[in-house]
Amino acid sequence: MREKHHTAARPVTDGLDASLAGPDMATAGHPLTVADVLTLPVLSAGQPQVVTGPDLLDRPVRWVHMTELTDPASFLKGGELVLTTGMPLPEEPAGVRRYVNELADIGAAALVIELVRRYHRAPDALVHACEARGLPLVTLAKDVNFLEVTQVVHALILGNQAEEMRRTQRIHEAFTALTLRGAVPEEVVRAAAEMSGHTVVLENLAHQALICAPSAGTVEAALSDWERRSRATPPAGRTSVSGPGGWLVTSVEYQGESWGRVVMLPAPPGQATPSAFGPTAVTVLERAAMALTIARVIHPVPWERTAHRNLLRDLVGQRHHSPMDAEARFAALGLSTKDCSFMAVLADFPQEADATKSEALLCEELRKQGTQALVGVLGPTRLGILLPLRPGRPCPPVVEHLSRTVLELAPGATVSAGSEATGLFDVARSFREATRVTEATEPGQPLPPERSYHKPSDIGLRRLLFALREDTRIQDFTERRLSRLLDHDARHGTDLLTTLRHYLDAAGNKTLAARSGCLSRETVYQRLRSIERILDCDLESGEHRTELHVALTALDVLRARSRKGEAFRT
């Protein structure tokens, strides 16, 4: 049996992170551990072997205690690395068990025994007792100066404590600066993630993730199945690790009551960031919670609405790393994407309207109606709405109901819709289409009586040219095709442009053109010949007639813009 325990021992450096092999082994914000101490040159010279508890070497070492007493636990407070030559160990197994039990009960970090004077291999009774109580047992094959070990380790511990104090001070100063300049909650959460190296999430009491600042990971990994995972993590009265996921959580308050909580997630396995939370992580999270409480007072707009607005803007701007990230963030806000398609809707208000106020009114009205939609301000007078479309519900009635709701809240608004998007990552295309529809819609554009919103199929030639009216190529084309005729009418007092319009509207039928202009056919024939001569074109040519029709429509659009500008200046 003794030989079995001897062969089971392994070098302490096996399996340890290379970053722990030196005097500066303590990870920033994390205490010195048993593994850290065993890699110190002053102790590694004794050829340490881990006999029991190889998976417990991450225990923090609060102090080092040399002892040759039979009851050393009476002088300990917990967290000590106990060094002994083995001289005081009792001979009988019961005494060895009592010795180990006392160390384990007080919370000693580990027991290190030197196999030089009394023992040359670890006694079976000691090995069994340490295994039974989960106390790491380390043997030293060579003589080690215990006084040197205590000096080195204590210097490191005190140095780490001093550095921790300086680090805590820097954290306080950073969050104080954020608070003084009125930082928004997104900035606070992002700062917490950057300082800690962990993903940080802000959620409300309904377990909706409003802000996620991922660190060395994806939004999808952080927010996947968020509500279930969050509900499995019980609330904590103070900052503590909670739930099956090992989250570090602390409460965020508003006006003396709990508003939500800020969560720090452990790093996934295999990443450089430690999965355990040290003092720095706790300090960062608590200071972030305080800064968020103050930000909640400074920024009165409900953070749920801000979260919806930010998500909508990110979807419109395609600022997601992947479709899965977008879906995870969407679902974490309590919005379902299952079996859904989507429709982008834009509501443009008159210049004097307040889009933010309209946003609040529309959100409240949709909530009363039980309509699930993502609403957010996209501009000073523009509101964006992402409307989920459920299976079995025809799209036009749903959009029409939404449009009429918008117009009831803000009369005079213009509502435009894009085409249906099959998934969240296709939403940006639908919003681009809705934007083009809005740009192609002239003020007061008539609509069919059964419809109160504009859609892509409404864009005909006139709407297309209206949308492109600022393009100098359209202006240049119109001038090249019609300027000579316009100049002729201006110089001679004629109205050949109107005759040309009647002729083109009649699709080249001279009789209808004469009737529209209340002219004789001979007069129309004469005027058309003059037009052909002035414009150097053939009005019997379908291509020439098409070009002139487009130019005339563009001219109407450009003149409408000029009249609108004059009225505005007046």
Side-chain angles (χ1 to χ4, degrees):
M1 179 65 71
R2 177 173 296 181
E3 182 62 24
K4 176 182 176 183
H5 287 301
H6 183 73
T7 56
R10 64 181 178 84
V12 71
T13 53
D14 287 355
L16 290 179
D17 192 329
S19 64
L20 302 179
D24 193 20
M25 77 296 292
T27 305
H30 290 262
L32 206 64
T33 66
V34 175
D36 299 335
V37 174
L38 295 181
T39 58
L40 291 170
V42 68
L43 200 56
S44 62
Q47 299 179 358
Q49 298 285 321
V50 178
V51 180
T52 66
D55 56 334
L56 301 174
L57 300 184
D58 59 347
R59 287 182 173 182
V61 175
R62 189 186 63 82
W63 208 243
V64 175
H65 185 75
M66 298 182 297
T67 183
E68 299 299 337
L69 299 175
T70 58
D71 59 342
S74 58
F75 296 92
L76 305 180
K77 293 184 177 180
E80 290 89 356
L81 184 76
V82 179
L83 303 176
T84 181
T85 62
M87 299 298 292
L89 280 179
E91 290 287 347
E92 69 280 3
V96 173
R97 286 195 299 271
R98 176 189 55 78
Y99 182 91
V100 171
N101 285 339
E102 289 180 357
L103 291 179
D105 290 342
I106 200 66
L111 174 62
V112 179
I113 180 170
E114 189 181 71
L115 303 179
V116 175
R117 293 168 177 82
R118 180 178 177 183
Y119 298 105
H120 296 287
R121 61 178 52 183
D124 289 345
L126 181 63
V127 173
H128 289 313
C130 288
E131 281 182 340
R133 291 305 307 271
L135 179 68
L137 174 62
V138 180
T139 62
L140 299 175
K142 292 187 177 181
D143 186 45
V144 169
N145 188 326
F146 284 173
L147 182 59
E148 274 190 50
V149 173
T150 59
Q151 288 176 333
V152 171
V153 175
H154 291 171
L156 283 173
I157 292 173
L158 294 174
N160 288 344
Q161 290 175 349
E163 176 57 31
E164 183 62 31
M165 293 179 62
R166 289 191 292 269
R167 190 180 299 113
T168 299
Q169 181 62 29
R170 290 195 295 268
I171 292 169
H172 281 288
E173 291 172 352
F175 280 107
T176 299
L178 286 171
T179 300
L180 290 176
R181 68 177 178 81
V184 296
E186 290 82 4
E187 293 178 283
V188 175
V189 174
R190 192 183 312 119
E194 291 173 353
M195 291 183 201
S196 66
H198 288 270
T199 294
V200 179
V201 180
L202 173 68
E203 68 168 13
N204 61 11
L205 292 177
H207 301 277
Q208 296 173 349
L210 305 183
I211 304 172
C212 174
S215 178
T218 64
V219 172
E220 179 195 7
L223 298 184
S224 178
D225 199 17
W226 177 263
E227 183 176 349
R228 182 194 63 79
R229 293 161 59 207
S230 176
R231 291 188 182 279
T233 305
R238 56 184 179 82
T239 306
S240 63
V241 176
S242 180
W247 294 0
L248 183 65
V249 298
T250 194
S251 177
V252 177
E253 296 187 351
Y254 178 59
Q255 295 182 343
E257 296 182 356
S258 178
W259 173 88
R261 61 183 179 178
V262 60
V263 175
M264 189 175 288
L265 305 183
Q271 291 190 357
T273 302
S275 58
F277 301 106
T280 295
V282 174
T283 301
V284 166
L285 199 67
E286 290 179 340
R287 287 294 290 132
M290 292 176 60
L292 287 168
T293 297
I294 297 172
R296 188 70 183 84
V297 177
I298 297 174
H299 304 284
V301 176
W303 287 355
E304 289 83 357
R305 194 186 310 158
T306 303
H308 282 223
R309 183 188 301 171
N310 291 340
L311 175 56
L312 185 70
R313 290 175 176 176
D314 289 344
L315 288 171
V316 173
Q318 291 184 304
R319 290 192 288 265
H320 287 289
H321 293 295
S322 70
M324 290 74 72
D325 276 10
E327 290 177 3
R329 190 172 166 193
F330 199 82
L333 281 174
L335 304 170
S336 176
T337 61
K338 187 177 181 181
D339 299 326
C340 276
S341 57
F342 302 90
M343 179 75 76
V345 179
L346 293 178
D348 282 75
F349 306 101
Q351 291 292 333
E352 65 275 7
D354 183 355
T356 302
K357 182 179 180 180
S358 299
E359 175 193 41
L361 293 173
L362 181 59
C363 287
E364 180 63 21
E365 185 61 29
L366 292 178
R367 187 187 63 80
K368 291 179 182 177
Q369 296 175 4
T371 301
Q372 189 186 62
L374 195 63
V375 182
V377 173
L378 298 180
T381 59
R382 174 169 291 181
L383 203 61
I385 307 153
L386 182 60
L387 188 63
L389 303 173
R390 306 294 177 188
R393 296 188 64 189
C395 170
V398 176
V399 181
E400 178 62 26
H401 178 72
L402 174 65
S403 176
R404 293 192 182 279
T405 300
V406 171
L407 293 174
E408 287 175 6
L409 296 173
T414 300
V415 182
S416 305
S419 60
E420 191 172 342
T422 56
L424 281 180
F425 221 61
D426 196 33
V427 162
R429 174 193 55 78
S430 185
F431 271 104
R432 285 194 298 269
E433 291 179 351
T435 301
R436 286 196 289 266
V437 172
T438 301
E439 291 172 347
T441 301
E442 298 180 70
Q445 186 91 31
L447 282 165
E450 71 279 3
R451 182 155 50 86
S452 62
Y453 67 94
H454 303 268
K455 58 182 183 178
S457 60
D458 292 338
I459 301 180
L461 176 61
R462 182 179 181 87
R463 283 200 172 194
L464 178 63
L465 292 172
F466 181 80
L468 300 175
R469 63 193 181 278
E470 304 293 343
D471 195 317
T472 57
R473 290 171 294 182
I474 295 295
Q475 299 169 13
D476 180 64
F477 172 78
T478 304
E479 280 296 305
R480 283 190 290 104
R481 298 306 294 149
L482 296 178
S483 60
R484 284 177 290 175
L485 189 63
L486 292 169
D487 291 343
H488 182 278
D489 281 347
R491 286 196 305 269
H492 299 89
T494 55
D495 195 11
L496 297 178
L497 188 71
T498 300
T499 302
L500 176 61
R501 187 187 305 279
H502 291 158
Y503 175 73
L504 295 175
D505 288 344
N509 188 312
K510 298 180 179 65
T511 301
L512 290 178
R515 190 177 304 159
S516 298
C518 300
L519 301 171
S520 66
R521 292 182 60 184
E522 290 75 11
T523 303
V524 169
Y525 292 155
Q526 179 183 0
R527 290 189 177 187
L528 292 177
R529 286 194 294 271
S530 298
I531 291 171
E532 287 179 321
R533 176 178 53 79
I534 295 169
L535 296 181
D536 190 22
C537 67
D538 179 8
L539 292 178
E540 297 297 323
S541 166
E543 181 179 353
H544 287 182
R545 284 212 300 263
T546 300
E547 291 177 357
L548 290 171
H549 179 64
V550 171
L552 270 175
T553 307
L555 180 66
D556 291 342
V557 167
L558 293 170
R559 284 180 168 176
R561 183 195 62 178
S562 299
R563 287 195 296 271
K564 182 179 178 182
E566 289 170 3
F568 179 77
R569 288 192 295 272
T570 302

